[in-house]
């Protein structure tokens, strides 16, 4: 992030604009809406600027820029056609510590003017850091279409409730009160023009929240999907943005965590085979503790909470403690990895069954039914098996699977760092080691369906060579 996003209060403060052409005129319109005291310096000016000066909305000095013009300026916008002059003014601003925007010269600017969606007092700013103003405008157009014109009226109504909301017990209660208004029927009533109906609903919510003991919190068991943040469900996204506390596994990607509410307490509770881990008992205790404090707790898991995510154990512990719990499923890792690698888990020609198997279990002596997993016509996906690839392959072959059965190892599925190693039961361990070793998180997919990825990979390689030869 090169530019720090901030909104500057310019009401009653001096803004200096150097230049008075059409570009400067557009900047002046924005500055006028902010309530700034505008001074324009330019020997000649466009008609709209002259009209604004004649009406007393700004001051126009009809001459060349002087260094002392910067005295008392809060911000400076430079929009002359002379690059050398623009750069000189920018250096003077830097020396004085005055923020400057040089139009069409990002390198000389200390702030940029974003594309704006104005729903006063709601203001949405979109910036590409100067990389593509056209893209910023296109994004603004989409936001303009999505945000109701009455949004500003909603913001002002919520502000009018601030004094009444102070009687709620704490900041968390006030935040939940406003969330209930925004997400519920009160906001819809107001946007539809029914102010009285909205006020009645707000008064009822205040009366319900102001009395009685603090409400018990809740826990949401949320699936974060295989890693790509765009595969997060809408319900999961809402849960992350409403959470007070987030307990997350190490398999949850940083990109997904970036979507969470900024001030939520984040507690890493990952488990690492042979390394530092948080016990399941400690995780259960943390969930119960924070919920009893009235907090909205998200237990964020890679993939899906109920597919080797120990969500069932947590659900039992929370139910036993009387904690309200909801489950928000996610795209499980097997589905995400298979899709990312173009491997269908079922295929009418070669795979009529799918088995999801964990290579680790609570009981070290517990082994899966290898004979069933080795049978033909089945796809088997092994979770948490990267450290046991050789053992898995050997056991399948020993129980009847051909050593030539295709296998794929998919690491960091759906992410930019995704890696896919293919082979057979005979050589997958060696291939994985030659590719840099078994990387976690990774899944092992065993079955004839893997051959589709191998054929696709071969076709793409041949096509790339042909295109290179043509070029």
């Amino acid at each position: 992030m090169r530019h720090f996003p901030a909104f500057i209060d310019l009401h009653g403060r001096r803004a200096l604009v150097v230049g008075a052409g059409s570009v400067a005129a557009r900047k002046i319109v924005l500055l006028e809406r902010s309530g700034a005291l505008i001074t324009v310096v330019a020997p000649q000016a466009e008609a709209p600027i002259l009209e604004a000066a004649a009406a007393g909305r700004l001051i126009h000095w009809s001459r060349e820029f002087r260094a002392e013009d910067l005295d008392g300026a809060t911000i400076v916008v430079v929009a002359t056609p002379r690059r050398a002059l623009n750069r000189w003014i920018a250096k003077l601003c830097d020396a004085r510590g005055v923020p400057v925007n040089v139009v069409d010269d990002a390198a000389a600017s200390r702030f940029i003017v974003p594309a704006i969606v104005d729903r006063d007092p709601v203001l949405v700013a979109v910036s590409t850091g100067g990389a593509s103003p056209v893209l910023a405008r296109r994004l603004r157009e989409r936001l303009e279409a999505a945000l109701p014109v009455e949004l500003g009226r909603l913001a002002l109504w919520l502000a009018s409730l601030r004094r009444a909301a102070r009687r709620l017990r704490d900041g968390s209660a006030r935040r939940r009160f406003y969330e209930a208004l925004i997400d519920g029927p009160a906001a819809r009533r107001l946007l539809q023009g029914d102010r009285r109906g909205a006020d009645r609903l707000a008064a009822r919510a205040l009366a319900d929240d102001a009395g009685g003991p603090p409400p018990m919190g809740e826990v949401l068991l949320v699936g974060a999907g295989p890693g790509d943040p765009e595969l997060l469900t809408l319900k999961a996204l809402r849960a992350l943005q409403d959470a007070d506390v987030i307990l997350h596994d190490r398999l949850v990607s940083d990109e997904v965590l970036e979507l969470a509410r900024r001030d939520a307490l984040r507690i890493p509770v990952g488990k690492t085979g042979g390394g530092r881990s948080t016990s399941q008992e400690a995780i259960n205790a943390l969930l119960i503790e924070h919920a009893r404090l009235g907090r909205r707790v998200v237990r964020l898991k890679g993939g899906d909470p109920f597919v080797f995510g120990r969500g069932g154990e947590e659900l039992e512990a929370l139910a036993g403690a009387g904690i309200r719990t909801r489950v928000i499923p996610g795209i499980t890792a097997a589905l995400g990895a298979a899709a990312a690698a173009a491997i269908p888990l079922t295929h009418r020609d070669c795979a009529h069954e799918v088995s999801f198997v964990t290579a680790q279990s609570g009981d070290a002596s517990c082994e899966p039914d290898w004979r069933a997993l080795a049978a033909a016509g089945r796809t088997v996906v092994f979770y948490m098996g990267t450290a046991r690839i050789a053992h898995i392959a050997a056991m399948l072959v020993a129980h009847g699977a051909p050593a030539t059965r295709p296998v794929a190892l998919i690491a960091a599925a759906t992410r930019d760092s995704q890696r896919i190693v293919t082979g057979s039961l005979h050589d997958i361990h060696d291939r994985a080691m030659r590719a840099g070793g078994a990387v976690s998180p990774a899944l092992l997919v065993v079955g004839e369906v893997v051959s589709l990825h191998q054929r696709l990979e071969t076709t793409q390689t041949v096509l790339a060579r042909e295109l290179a030869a043509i070029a």
Side-chain angles (χ1 to χ4, degrees):
M1 186 172 69
R2 179 180 172 185
H3 294 92
F4 180 77
F7 293 93
I8 303 174
D9 181 4
L10 291 179
H11 189 81
R13 299 177 184 274
R14 184 165 176 261
L16 177 67
V17 179
V18 184
S22 59
V23 175
R26 291 196 295 270
K27 305 296 183 185
I28 288 169
V29 170
L30 288 175
L31 290 170
E32 279 191 288
R33 284 156 60 183
S34 74
L37 303 178
I38 306 167
T39 299
V40 179
V41 181
Q44 296 179 332
E46 294 276 326
I49 297 176
L50 293 174
E51 292 169 4
R57 301 201 310 270
L58 58 81
I59 297 171
H60 174 219
W61 291 339
S62 182
R63 58 169 173 76
E64 294 289 349
F65 168 82
R66 301 169 186 167
E68 57 267 26
D69 293 341
L70 297 175
D71 294 345
T74 299
I75 66 168
V76 176
V77 176
V78 184
T80 84
R82 292 176 284 174
R83 187 172 186 273
L85 174 62
N86 294 349
R87 288 271 172 129
W88 176 60
I89 297 172
K91 287 183 179 180
L92 292 176
C93 291
D94 282 345
R96 291 176 175 234
V98 179
V100 60
N101 171 255
V102 181
V103 176
D104 293 332
D105 191 345
S109 300
R110 294 299 167 262
F111 75 92
I112 56 178
V113 180
I116 293 171
V117 180
D118 190 355
R119 299 287 188 269
D120 187 52
V122 178
L123 195 67
V124 181
V126 180
S127 170
T128 61
S132 177
V134 174
L135 175 59
R137 287 199 298 272
R138 287 289 181 266
L139 292 173
R140 181 194 63 193
E141 290 167 6
R142 295 183 185 182
L143 289 169
E144 285 273 12
L147 298 177
V149 175
E150 301 85 358
L151 196 61
R153 184 149 48 91
L154 174 61
L156 292 173
W157 177 67
L158 293 169
S160 72
L161 299 172
R162 191 174 300 154
R163 179 177 295 179
R166 287 176 186 162
R167 69 172 184 254
L168 296 177
R169 60 181 60 86
D170 54 30
S172 178
R174 286 189 288 274
R175 180 172 60 81
R176 292 190 184 189
F177 164 69
Y178 285 118
E179 287 174 352
L181 295 184
I182 294 167
D183 297 333
R188 290 195 295 273
R189 290 277 187 93
L190 187 89
L191 292 175
Q192 291 165 2
D194 183 6
R195 172 67 184 263
R196 288 185 178 181
D199 286 340
R200 283 196 300 270
L201 290 172
R204 190 182 307 161
L206 275 171
D208 291 343
D209 286 351
M216 178 72 76
E218 67 173 343
V219 175
L220 288 81
L221 306 180
V222 178
D228 182 348
E230 292 188 352
L231 293 177
L232 205 66
T233 66
L234 292 175
K235 278 192 173 182
L237 179 61
R238 172 67 63 83
L240 283 176
Q241 294 177 344
D242 288 346
D244 299 310
V245 182
I246 300 171
L247 280 71
H248 60 89
D249 289 345
R250 70 180 184 89
L251 299 182
V252 176
S253 68
D254 292 339
E255 293 82 3
V256 169
L257 287 173
E258 277 296 308
L259 299 174
R261 190 173 133 224
R262 290 282 181 254
D263 55 346
L265 174 63
R266 303 182 189 187
I267 305 175
V269 291
K271 298 181 177 66
T272 305
R276 185 176 180 181
S277 300
T278 305
S279 71
Q280 189 60 54
E281 291 73 17
I283 294 172
N284 294 346
L286 282 169
L287 294 173
I288 294 168
E289 173 190 349
H290 286 288
R292 282 179 171 165
L293 291 172
R295 294 167 181 163
R296 184 178 293 142
V297 185
V298 165
R299 175 69 174 101
L300 190 62
K301 301 166 176 288
D304 183 272
F306 283 179
V307 181
F308 303 127
R310 303 187 77 169
E313 297 173 45
E314 292 167 356
L315 193 64
E316 286 181 304
L318 292 163
I323 305 296
R324 184 175 61 180
T325 309
R326 288 188 286 148
V327 181
I328 299 177
I331 296 176
T332 188
L335 302 180
I343 298 174
L345 294 180
T346 62
H347 194 291
R348 65 178 182 173
D349 293 337
C350 57
H352 305 131
E353 298 179 66
V354 182
S355 295
F356 294 166
V357 183
T358 175
Q360 301 176 4
S361 67
D363 183 356
S365 65
C366 180
E367 287 284 324
D369 185 347
W370 291 109
R371 187 170 299 282
L373 298 179
R378 179 190 296 262
T379 303
V380 187
V381 182
F382 289 92
Y383 284 67
M384 297 168 281
T386 54
R388 306 186 72 204
I389 295 175
H391 172 76
I392 291 169
M395 293 301 289
L396 288 172
V397 171
H399 288 81
T404 56
R405 180 166 293 173
V407 183
L409 177 67
I410 309 169
T414 74
R415 306 186 194 183
D416 291 339
S417 57
Q418 175 177 291
R419 294 169 55 195
I420 303 172
V421 179
T422 59
S424 65
L425 289 173
H426 170 69
D427 61 9
I428 187 61
H429 179 263
D430 292 340
R431 285 174 177 263
M433 293 303 104
R434 287 198 298 270
V439 179
S440 183
L443 291 170
L444 200 66
V445 182
V446 181
E448 294 299 329
V449 290
V450 175
S451 61
L452 181 62
H453 169 82
Q454 294 169 324
R455 291 199 300 272
L456 180 64
E457 192 175 39
T458 301
T459 301
Q460 289 177 330
T461 301
V462 171
L463 181 59
R465 288 174 181 168
E466 291 176 351
L467 290 174
I470 294 172

